[in-house]
Amino acid sequence: MEHEMRAEYEEGVLPHADTPVKIWHMVRLDGTLAMCGRELAPAAATQTADVWGTPKGEPFCHSCGALYLREHPGDIG
């Protein structure tokens, strides 16, 4: 299954190109429901799952990370 990272922002903040990301979550490709169960804004920034585990992917949701690793155990960098 394909995944991507989707941004979560502070409560009440609308996503724009320069909006600071509160935390990154993992979603199934083109989805808005994070693996941890949080619903994310359809307009939120996304980045490839390849960024997971790198400084560009921080801060990252620990729950999403654990669930992602269960589906992709060979992706431990």
Side-chain angles (χ1 to χ4, degrees):
M1 175 159 286
E2 295 293 319
H3 294 82
E4 66 184 350
M5 294 171 61
R6 185 173 291 272
E8 176 185 349
Y9 304 97
E10 293 294 335
E11 188 72 32
V13 175
L14 297 176
H16 297 286
D18 59 347
T19 304
V21 173
K22 176 181 174 183
I23 192 165
W24 289 97
H25 293 272
M26 192 66 75
V27 299
R28 289 183 172 77
L29 195 59
D30 297 324
T32 58
L33 182 63
M35 294 182 78
C36 69
R38 182 172 297 277
E39 187 65 42
L40 303 168
T46 60
Q47 51 186 354
T48 175
D50 295 337
V51 176
W52 181 80
T54 71
K56 190 174 177 185
E58 294 296 328
F60 191 77
C61 172
H62 292 260
S63 297
C64 284
L67 293 166
Y68 181 69
L69 280 176
R70 289 187 69 143
E71 290 187 16
H72 297 272
D75 289 353
I76 298 173

